[in-house]
Amino acid sequence: MKYFKIEEIVDRETFETLGEDAWQLFNTDALIALDGLREFLNTSITVNDWSRGGSMQWRGYRSNKCPIGATKSQHRLGNAFDCTIKGYTAAEARSVILAHQDDPLLKRITRMEDKVSWLHFDLMELPPNKERIYLFQA
Ligand SMILES: [Zn+2]
């Protein structure tokens, strides 16, 4: 990836156990989508911050040690990210992404979680009635 280090998208234990091999826990297209979003918005994006002394470590990949979130969450498949985006509220980010959803940098994104204060996006397979990015509520 161009813009992210592995410790920004996995938890501490996964990083300490697997190191750079942890890249393999992700869907490659999800990694490309995260870099693409970063490039499209041209501002800094925070997923996890534990490696910089923060408390967030479950906003990228969620291992089976993760106590939060749904068991079928796309995070557990390495296919989802929760992002804080400098200069944008989550609602603003969702609006901009929807307005430019066919941009090559954004085209891999299929879903965003609505009505939450972070930007959750993932690449879950589109259901038959959806053609492009759609919003869901947990
Ligand atoms: Zn999420």
Side-chain angles (χ1 to χ4, degrees), residues 95-112:
S95 295
V96 169
I97 291 166
L98 282 174
H100 299 276
Q101 59 183 322
D102 294 320
D103 188 287
L105 292 169
L106 303 177
K107 68 179 186 185
R108 289 174 176 80
I109 298 172
T110 59
R111 296 203 311 171
M112 298 186 291

Side-chain angles (χ1 to χ4, degrees), residues 78-92:
N79 206 30
F81 296 99
D82 296 337
C83 305
T84 302
I85 300 169
K86 189 175 182 186
Y88 291 81
T89 66
E92 287 167 350

